[in-house]
Amino acid sequence: MKKIIFILCAVCLINLGAYSQILKPVTWSYAAKKTGPNTATVFIKATIDQGWHLYSQFVKDGGPVKTTFTFPASGAYTLVGKTIEPKAITKFESTFKMDVSYFEKSVVFQQKVKLKGKTATVKGSLEFMVCDDKQCLPPEQVDFSIPVK
């Protein structure tokens, strides 16, 4: 009898594990393009699954976690200005009781850099949050390293 109960429990756990999944509705990709002998633009692209949205860098306090980029100091390059983004969709979200700006499908963020040599590797991290019409996932942090040649 104990063996039968054990086998039933094992089958239930395996079945439950097969139905659970880790949600990763955003895929990040990176590129860089030299724009001059000592300047470049770094491109950070988010590809967002259907039905999900990624929040802008410019969300007011009290709302969802905004997308933020952090670039530690480097001897190989300096940042030129702030990270820019295209025009976002802005709508009222009852969950947050405020207007929020977000992106659907994909978005490309750009950061200009001034190189101190011929090449560099732009390193940093980004924090972001995504929601769909039923749930919001906890904020996530991603480290990146983008070669500029």
Side-chain angles (χ1 to χ4, degrees):
M1 186 66 170
K2 288 182 182 180
K3 285 183 182 180
I4 293 173
I5 293 173
F6 175 75
I7 290 171
L8 277 172
C9 288
V11 169
C12 288
L13 286 174
I14 290 170
N15 195 21
L16 181 64
Y19 285 104
S20 67
Q21 63 180 353
I22 297 173
L23 293 174
K24 292 283 186 187
V26 179
T27 304
W28 294 93
S29 57
Y30 315 95
K33 180 179 180 184
K34 282 189 106 173
T35 54
N38 63 345
T39 58
T41 301
V42 173
F43 302 95
I44 303 170
K45 180 179 181 181
T47 303
I48 308 156
D49 288 353
Q50 181 68 34
W52 290 88
H53 52 266
L54 169 77
Y55 292 99
S56 166
Q57 299 176 88
F58 308 108
V59 174
K60 294 177 184 170
D61 291 340
V65 174
K66 60 186 171 185
T67 301
T68 56
F69 297 91
T70 304
F71 297 90
S74 172
Y77 64 90
T78 56
L79 300 179
V80 177
K82 295 184 179 189
T83 306
I84 60 172
E85 64 181 46
K87 183 173 170 64
I89 299 164
T90 302
K91 288 188 178 173
F92 182 82
E93 282 194 3
S94 58
T95 304
F96 302 108
K97 296 178 179 35
M98 63 187 289
D99 285 339
V100 295
S101 298
Y102 59 86
F103 301 98
E104 296 177 329
K105 297 180 184 171
S106 71
V107 59
V108 178
F109 299 94
Q110 297 180 40
Q111 176 63 59
K112 293 181 181 180
V113 294
K114 183 173 182 179
L115 306 174
K116 295 182 180 177
K118 292 189 181 232
T119 63
T121 299
V122 177
K123 295 183 179 184
S125 64
L126 61 98
E127 183 179 26
F128 68 99
M129 182 172 152
V130 290
C131 296
D132 67 7
D133 61 351
K134 296 179 183 125
Q135 64 184 327
C136 290
L137 298 181
E140 190 174 338
Q141 184 171 334
V142 175
D143 294 327
F144 57 83
S145 180
I146 308 164
V148 180
K149 299 176 185 178

